[in-house]
Amino acid sequence: MNWLFPLAKGGGSASPAAPLPPLTTLQQQKQRQIESLRGAHASIAEIQKDVEYRLPFTVNNLTININILLPPQFPQEKPVISVFPPVRHHLMDKQGVYVTGPLISNFTMHSDLGKIIQSLLDEFWKNPPVLAPSSTSFPYLFNKPAGMPPFAPQGFPFLPPYPPQETNRSIAAVPVAESVSSSYTTDKPAAPAYGLIADLPLPVPRAEAGLQVGQNGFTYKMPDVPDTFPELSELSISQLTNMNEQEEVLLEQFVTLPQLKQVITDRDELVKSIEELAKKNLLLEPSLEAKRQMVLDKYEQLTQMKAAFEKKMQRQHELSESCSPSALQARLKVAAHEAEEESDTIAEDFLEGKTEIDEFLSSFMEKRTLCHCRRAKEEKLQQAIAMHSQFHAPL
């Protein structure tokens, strides 16, 4: 019955709770590094005690979280420093997730972690990082491999940056068939404010005899020019010389040529067709503006949904971290210790005569049973963690 009455007189040598063992040299150095980190950065958040810390900062309207992961043998081992979201910078790796510069590669147990993080922030302020294209896969679901940052980058390949609208592009009218065929080409530039785009890819014209190709690809066949002009064969040499010297007379003769009349007629018809196409384009302007505005609204909606998704993913990660096996084990250990202290308090009250024996037995056994159940669960969870780390150990 000594276990039932640990404080009873003559009931055995029940010694008080043993003091905590002193910290080792490695643990003392680790605590100094953590104190230096907290002293240099007041806004740092502790994700897991003595293991993981997070420091948010903003540069050029871009908020970046610096995750600091301390390995078990830290500071003999180098810390793992990563950022979210991934960025492009000369101090980052190719994926833009981990810091691989000299600040980390030259880390020793005599380095100052707080000053290293401050130097990293100073470098980011001098040379601001830019967002890097992220991957599409999730690196973990509910747990993460050892050594990985707490919140890995998430990719959104379906959200490219919206191209800017260009308003100073040259506008020209082209045939409807050419404008429709060119609308199905890939890598099209942004639509201008009105009309059609002059530099859209158009069909390559074939070079044929007598064809005149314009800058927009439009072809026109010139009338055939005869070898001789019967109108001029009836004139004398003096009349031809006079016509050659007087430009007005020469132009009057050219205007009467049927080939020139055909060119003028074709020109008038082309101008008329161009005006009709321009009117049709102006009629299509309201529907084009409505569709462009709809695309802008959809893009804005997609941006908001992306921000909400990232916020929920951050919340989901924090909740999963709070329910990790190591966190549950720590909570079970604290709860078992609390139940043990409560049972000891009940035993002291009984020895001092403050409670009856029936009340004492029911409450004391309940607390002791709860304490042993929690310790059994803690030991079982510790075995499961050890077995999981054994089978998932890195090669």
Side-chain angles (χ1 to χ4, degrees):
M1 295 294 291
N2 292 337
W3 62 271
L4 187 58
F5 303 97
L7 300 179
K9 297 181 180 179
S13 59
S15 59
L20 295 176
L23 296 177
T24 62
T25 305
L26 183 63
Q27 292 175 342
Q28 293 177 359
Q29 294 176 351
K30 184 176 185 178
Q31 291 300 323
R32 283 197 294 268
Q33 294 283 357
I34 294 175
E35 292 175 0
S36 172
L37 182 63
R38 288 178 171 174
H41 309 282
S43 61
I44 194 167
E46 183 183 72
I47 306 302
Q48 186 176 354
K49 182 177 177 57
D50 300 341
V51 175
E52 183 180 350
Y53 297 87
R54 183 172 300 159
L55 177 63
F57 79 103
T58 303
V59 55
N60 287 351
N61 295 328
L62 175 63
T63 300
I64 301 177
N65 289 322
I66 298 180
N67 298 316
I68 306 166
L69 191 64
L70 306 181
Q73 297 300 321
F74 176 83
Q76 292 182 354
E77 295 180 9
K78 300 176 182 179
V80 179
I81 301 178
S82 60
V83 300
F84 176 81
V87 296
R88 290 193 181 276
H89 198 268
H90 67 274
L91 295 180
M92 308 300 298
D93 60 350
K94 294 181 179 180
Q95 289 73 25
V97 177
Y98 297 99
V99 179
T100 58
L103 298 175
I104 303 302
S105 58
N106 298 332
F107 182 88
T108 62
M109 62 185 306
H110 301 291
S111 303
D112 191 339
L113 184 58
K115 294 182 179 179
I116 289 177
I117 300 300
Q118 185 61 44
S119 301
L120 178 62
L121 295 179
D122 295 339
E123 185 61 26
F124 281 168
W125 279 109
K126 293 178 182 177
N127 301 310
V130 295
L131 284 176
S134 52
S135 62
T136 60
S137 60
F138 293 96
Y140 62 90
L141 280 177
F142 301 103
N143 54 3
K144 61 179 184 296
M148 284 196 64
F151 191 64
Q154 310 297 332
F156 302 94
F158 51 82
L159 189 59
Y162 193 78
Q165 298 294 315
E166 301 178 11
T167 58
N168 56 355
R169 303 277 300 273
S170 60
I171 310 300
V174 296
V176 176
E178 295 174 354
S179 64
V180 172
S181 62
S182 63
S183 63
Y184 290 94
T185 58
T186 58
D187 299 334
K188 294 185 294 184
Y194 305 102
L196 298 177
I197 304 176
D199 54 352
L200 281 177
L202 298 172
V204 179
R206 298 179 180 179
E208 297 181 3
L211 290 180
Q212 297 291 331
V213 182
Q215 294 182 354
N216 59 353
F218 181 80
T219 58
Y220 175 72
K221 181 175 175 57
M222 295 292 294
D224 297 331
V225 179
D227 297 333
T228 61
F229 294 92
E231 297 85 355
L232 300 180
S233 60
E234 299 177 356
L235 300 178
S236 62
I237 297 178
S238 60
Q239 291 177 341
L240 293 175
T241 304
N242 187 22
M243 182 183 298
N244 188 29
E245 293 176 354
Q246 296 180 10
E247 185 177 358
E248 295 81 2
V249 178
L250 183 62
L251 291 177
E252 291 178 358
Q253 183 65 31
F254 271 115
V255 169
T256 59
L257 293 177
Q259 294 82 5
L260 183 58
K261 292 181 179 180
Q262 181 65 35
V263 171
I264 295 175
T265 303
D266 294 340
R267 183 199 63 181
D268 294 338
E269 292 179 354
L270 287 175
V271 170
K272 184 178 180 180
S273 63
I274 290 174
E275 291 177 352
E276 292 178 355
L277 287 176
K279 292 178 180 178
K280 291 181 180 179
N281 290 338
L282 292 177
L283 293 177
L284 295 175
E285 177 187 351
S287 62
L288 178 62
E289 289 292 334
K291 292 180 179 180
R292 184 174 66 173
Q293 185 62 38
M294 181 176 64
V295 172
L296 292 175
D297 295 340
K298 293 292 184 181
Y299 178 78
E300 181 67 23
Q301 182 181 359
L302 184 60
T303 304
Q304 295 176 359
M305 294 176 65
K306 176 193 171 186
F309 175 77
E310 291 180 348
K311 184 177 180 180
K312 291 180 180 180
M313 282 299 302
Q314 181 75 15
R315 178 59 178 167
Q316 185 268 343
H317 171 71
E318 294 174 355
L319 293 177
S320 63
E321 284 293 328
S322 63
C323 298
S324 62
S326 58
L328 293 178
Q329 182 185 5
R331 292 178 182 176
L332 283 174
K333 183 181 295 185
V334 173
H337 184 68
E338 291 177 353
E340 184 179 8
E341 289 183 348
E342 291 177 1
S343 65
D344 292 341
T345 303
I346 294 173
E348 291 178 358
D349 293 342
F350 175 72
L351 293 176
E352 294 176 359
K354 296 180 180 180
T355 58
E356 298 294 335
I357 186 169
D358 295 336
E359 181 183 355
F360 162 72
L361 289 176
S362 60
S363 58
F364 183 81
M365 293 300 293
E366 179 183 357
K367 293 297 181 181
R368 278 292 177 175
T369 303
L370 182 61
C371 174
H372 290 301
C373 288
R374 289 175 176 175
R375 284 183 176 175
K377 291 179 181 179
E378 176 199 352
E379 294 174 359
K380 198 70 176 178
L381 184 58
Q382 184 176 5
Q383 293 177 2
I385 294 175
M387 185 177 300
H388 182 273
S389 60
Q390 178 182 0
F391 284 103
H392 293 78
L395 299 178

